[in-house]
């Protein structure tokens, strides 16, 4: 394919993309097929000779689309949102064309530099403390990671390195292996599985901290478990706080937890993967109070800030940079950015932020967050007005946790009917041992009419379910 | 921006991309600016109100392009290639539109399933042994990783887990921490820094194995160091072989190393990041002989197989899958693929492979590899015909290592002039303590005339350099 054909096929693809997104509402949001469906639809080997472009595009509808869970359907209410916007898609096209691998400054200076400034823009939007901002002389600053999982892992590795050095400096006869075997990290019992996974990869123990009846960790809960572990000879070194947990969007009390971590020489990382984007609105910013005690902070603009996946941002204050740089500098002296991430290569992902921030403006981004929170409140009101249902966690952002009053089995049956209907898509969670339905406002295109329609659909299925003899 | 405006701006962007790539030859390949150039060119904060699209596009030329190292210029000969092709860019547009986060099968079945089949296509193109292929009932198979660094880390973590279990099973009184402190991994002294970095992250020792005069590791060299370490009470558990090293594209002797690793219960991972793509040509496939002894194998289609970054593939045989699944299953029981990578979220990257493999066909991909190897041979002939120069390593694929006969300083001066001229771009390496220039065939658009022009340019700069009084 030469440039001339790309011009033609590119225009067609732009239309294909626009058509797909404009008409996505007509597609069943969740696929109706069995695992393994695709293999029999395509050859078992790559073709020897080139094929026609038309055949490939036909196969997109024949092979791919039937197996897609349509995350950008206005009837998709599962997981958390995956951001998508036209400006981000345009920037990604440019990113593909430039096609640089930004593993060092020299490998493409604009790639490193725009990223640094975009992370500063983000930090300022969130009103992060000055020491998280790179500026011209700062020691803080951020980088784009692929996912929050990677950001958590990087923070844990940095904390591990810092702790080993600190303990080794004070008790030199302790070997690194001895110290490593005594290190213990903490996170909420409500935290995402990727936090526990980071500890597994880093080869350190991790203990789960119980939460209060809002599913949030409080200072005294962490304090108690840290005291026990210290008494048992362990070395507490890391706490991963969550702002906006995956099951119920709960917020750990970082104003209590932060000072405790600082006092105990424990690294505090904040994982605000979903909720972090909302802190650009002044009315939500108080939930981030306490960030000044943190060593690192991460959230995903690719979830809720209209920047297409993958784009997770991590900001660190001085100690982070200092420590991780020192650790890995021996291996890769050419750059700093690469010490803040697992992969060495990196796409020019900051272009997406640049396009999105400029084409929406801060006000446009705030409007997007507020609209989705309002839609969640609208759904919450519908649920609360129906006495058969209950709300299971405070609705603070775009997530509503709800269930039918009654058994877990009843709610499992309801979700099964919802999933099989393929009109809307939800996933469940467990809260205090109860099976709960999560209704997350996800697509940029979701409007009030979709919320109303979703609720009509849920109540219709509920009606049918409750009419069955065994209920 | 609504769909209608996206249709318009998308067409413009397609033309921008085509224009950029058609005229890239006219741009200086390497930027002329100082670190920090970008910050003063743009505001320090995001705008409050939306900006005009035209202003942003103007800024692409004003702010971004001056800071881009043009990896797809036919005069870019640095590092290794970053793949780029029009079919891959079209597939990436589709990937952005679907915008699913494929962290589990249900999150978008097509995303998981196409990836599994595309990795089988790749495995068959490379004639990998049957146990690396998923098929319908297989236990092997591959996944797309972002980078080779991540693939190496994943293989090391899987090997670490397997070794700890094995030793613990045979000597139960050994604690996990004890075992971890005795584990030792190996790689070539010529291996990429990401291999050492994986050991650092995994918290295990890593020793460098010396190479022969072709910069390759041989069986007896590894055997010697393993015997020493075992005698010292350590537990050898992992060897990362390189096929196509970064400095000189050397090939470790895996037919000798593989049986040794199997005998010693050591995991053998093969990192063929660059050279792996060439194994689709029968004439290069013998270099992969010995892969049947490996536990995991990785290469980067985003380097040399026309699939835009990021797309690194890793294939494993049974033990890998078995072990890693068992390890992480406790945390994330919903899927298998996610246990093979660090991030949980994943883009629909296999679309790029599908488009590229079908639109080029195996023959087209082979032609691309062969053309670039031929261009390297052409450059090698030019160097060999000039008695002032020497070739520093056998030219097997698309990389030529060469230098002026004489001091390191002389060669450093030559490279400095090349870099400052900005007409072509090279990076150096160290081989046997000598400063060597690496000339890698990178861009898809590089032709014989660019090689000839590059050599004229190098010899002109050499002429000027050698005329200076101090030489």
């Amino acid at each position: 394919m030469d440039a001339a054909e790309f011009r033609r096929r590119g225009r067609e693809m732009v239309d294909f993309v626009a058509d797909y997104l404009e008409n996505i509402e007509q597609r069943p949001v969740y696929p109706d097929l069995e695992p393994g469906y695709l293999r029999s639809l395509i050859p078992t080997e790559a073709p020897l000779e080139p094929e026609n472009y038309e055949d490939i595009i036909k196969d997109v509808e024949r092979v791919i689309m039937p197996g897609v869970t349509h995350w950008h359907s206005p009837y998709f209410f599962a997981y958390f949102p995956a951001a998508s916007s036209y400006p981000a898609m345009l920037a990604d096209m440019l990113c593909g064309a430039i096609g640089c691998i930004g593993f060092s400054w020299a490998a493409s200076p604009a790639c490193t530099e725009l990223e640094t400034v975009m992370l500063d823009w983000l930090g300022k939007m969130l009103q992060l403390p000055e020491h998280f901002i790179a500026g011209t002389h700062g020691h803080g600053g951020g980088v784009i990671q692929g996912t929050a999982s990677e950001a958590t892992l990087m923070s844990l590795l940095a904390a591990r390195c810092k702790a080993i050095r600190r303990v080794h400096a004070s008790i030199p006869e302790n070997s690194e292996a001895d110290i490593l075997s005594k290190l213990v990290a903490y996170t909420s019992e409500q935290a995402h599985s990727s936090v526990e996974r980071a500890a597994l990869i880093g080869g350190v123990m991790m203990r789960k901290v119980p939460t209060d009846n809002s599913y949030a960790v409080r200072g005294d809960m962490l304090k108690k478990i840290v005291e026990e572990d210290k008494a048992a000879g362990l070395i507490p070194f890391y706490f991963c706080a969550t702002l906006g947990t995956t099951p119920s969007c709960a917020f750990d009390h970082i104003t209590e937890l932060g000072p405790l971590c600082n006092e105990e020489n424990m690294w505090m990382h904040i994982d605000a993967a979903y909720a972090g984007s909302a802190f650009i609105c002044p009315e939500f910013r108080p939930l981030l109070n306490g960030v000044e005690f943190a060593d690192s902070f991460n959230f995903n603009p690719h979830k809720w800030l209209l920047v297409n996946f993958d784009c997770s941002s991590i900001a660190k204050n001085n100690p982070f940079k200092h420590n991780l740089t020192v650790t890995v500098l021996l291996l890769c002296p050419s750059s700093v950015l690469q010490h803040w991430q697992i992969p060495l290569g990196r796409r020019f992902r900051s272009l997406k932020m640049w396009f999105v921030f400029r084409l929406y403006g801060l006000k446009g981004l705030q409007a997007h967050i507020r609209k989705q929170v309002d839609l969640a409140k609208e759904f919450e009101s519908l649920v609360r007005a129906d006495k058969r249902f209950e709300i299971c966690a405070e609705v603070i952002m775009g997530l509503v946790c709800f269930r039918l009053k009654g058994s877990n089995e009843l709610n499992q049956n309801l979700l099964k009917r919802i999933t099989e209907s393929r009109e809307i898509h939800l996933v469940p969670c467990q809260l205090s041992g109860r099976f709960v339905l999560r209704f997350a406002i996800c697509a940029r295109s979701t409007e009030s009419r979709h919320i109303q329609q979703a609720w009509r659909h849920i109540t219709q299925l509920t009606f049918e379910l409750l009419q069955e003899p065994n209920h």
Side-chain angles (χ1 to χ4, degrees), chain A residues 263-283:
Chain A
E263 218 167 88
E264 298 286 348
N265 254 322
M266 287 163 63
W267 186 288
M268 182 165 84
H269 174 67
I270 297 175
D271 173 10
Y274 164 67
S277 298
F279 303 145
I280 64 168
C281 300
E283 67 272 31

Side-chain angles (χ1 to χ4, degrees), chain A residues 300-365:
Chain A
N300 294 355
H302 69 236
K303 277 202 168 69
W304 209 11
L305 213 57
L306 297 167
V307 181
N308 281 45
F309 188 77
D310 49 350
C311 181
S312 180
S313 69
I314 185 166
K316 310 98 184 175
N317 66 16
N318 293 350
F320 189 106
K321 182 167 174 181
H322 175 68
N323 275 283
L324 202 60
T325 304
V326 170
T327 314
V328 191
L329 198 60
L330 296 166
L331 305 174
C332 330
S334 57
S335 153
V336 171
L337 273 194
Q338 60 183 286
H339 310 140
W340 288 4
Q341 55 169 11
I342 303 288
L344 298 178
R346 42 209 350 267
R347 297 167 72 232
F348 200 157
R349 292 178 289 199
S350 57
L351 287 172
K352 287 190 283 197
M353 287 188 177
W354 200 42
F355 273 51
V356 168
F357 297 166
R358 294 180 69 181
L359 283 167
Y360 278 90
L362 179 56
K363 283 190 184 171
L365 297 171

Side-chain angles (χ1 to χ4, degrees), chain A residues 191-469:
Chain A
H192 191 268
S193 62
S194 58
V195 182
E196 193 166 344
R197 198 160 174 265
L200 194 72
I201 291 171
V204 293
M205 274 176 279
M206 175 158 270
R207 296 192 58 186
K208 298 292 188 69
V209 186
T211 54
D212 66 12
N213 53 19
S214 305
Y215 307 108
V217 174
R218 304 209 69 111
D220 54 359
M221 295 158 172
L222 179 61
K223 194 176 171 62
K224 182 166 171 287
I225 196 166
V226 165
E227 293 301 338
E228 283 169 15
D229 285 347
K230 280 163 60 183
L234 299 178
I235 307 169
F237 81 105
Y238 176 86
F239 172 65
C240 176
T242 312
L243 296 181
T245 57
T246 306
S248 67
C249 201
F251 290 79
D252 290 344
H253 294 269
I254 56 173
T255 49
E256 298 170 11
L257 294 157
L260 172 65
C261 288
N262 290 178
E263 218 167 88
E264 298 286 348
N265 254 322
M266 287 163 63
W267 186 288
M268 182 165 84
H269 174 67
I270 297 175
D271 173 10
Y274 164 67
S277 298
F279 303 145
I280 64 168
C281 300
E283 67 272 31
F284 295 120
R285 178 59 178 74
L287 288 163
L288 187 58
N289 288 347
V291 66
E292 59 275 18
F293 301 111
D295 295 280
S296 49
F297 169 76
N298 172 255
F299 81 106
N300 294 355
H302 69 236
K303 277 202 168 69
W304 209 11
L305 213 57
L306 297 167
V307 181
N308 281 45
F309 188 77
D310 49 350
C311 181
S312 180
S313 69
I314 185 166
K316 310 98 184 175
N317 66 16
N318 293 350
F320 189 106
K321 182 167 174 181
H322 175 68
N323 275 283
L324 202 60
T325 304
V326 170
T327 314
V328 191
L329 198 60
L330 296 166
L331 305 174
C332 330
S334 57
S335 153
V336 171
L337 273 194
Q338 60 183 286
H339 310 140
W340 288 4
Q341 55 169 11
I342 303 288
L344 298 178
R346 42 209 350 267
R347 297 167 72 232
F348 200 157
R349 292 178 289 199
S350 57
L351 287 172
K352 287 190 283 197
M353 287 188 177
W354 200 42
F355 273 51
V356 168
F357 297 166
R358 294 180 69 181
L359 283 167
Y360 278 90
L362 179 56
K363 283 190 184 171
L365 297 171
Q366 288 171 334
H368 172 67
I369 299 285
R370 286 170 181 148
K371 176 181 161 188
Q372 295 214 320
V373 175
D374 287 346
L375 290 173
K377 300 275 187 194
E378 182 179 339
F379 186 80
E380 180 192 10
S381 306
L382 294 169
V383 177
R384 285 201 190 275
D386 189 327
K387 295 298 167 215
R388 295 170 300 178
F389 287 89
E390 58 186 325
I391 293 289
C392 308
E394 191 186 353
V395 178
I396 302 173
M397 300 208 160
L399 176 68
V400 182
C401 290
F402 73 108
R403 70 195 300 278
L404 273 170
K405 290 170 187 166
S407 69
N408 282 351
E409 197 196 343
L410 181 68
N411 282 282
Q412 281 159 354
N413 282 337
L414 176 58
L415 183 63
K416 190 159 176 284
R417 283 166 189 246
I418 292 172
T419 303
E420 286 172 359
S421 77
R422 297 172 209 284
E423 284 195 31
I424 64 174
H425 191 47
L426 311 182
V427 290
C429 69
Q430 285 270 345
L431 289 175
S432 310
R434 296 190 310 169
F435 187 89
V436 169
L437 279 65
R438 286 171 82 267
F439 188 93
I441 312 297
C442 288
R444 185 171 46 82
S445 57
T446 302
E447 303 286 346
S448 172
R449 68 184 169 91
H450 303 109
I451 302 299
Q452 296 291 335
Q453 173 58 27
W455 181 245
R456 270 194 300 277
H457 183 63
I458 291 169
T459 49
Q460 174 63 32
L461 294 177
T462 300
F463 176 77
E464 291 167 18
L465 176 65
L466 295 179
Q467 277 207 321
E468 292 202 343

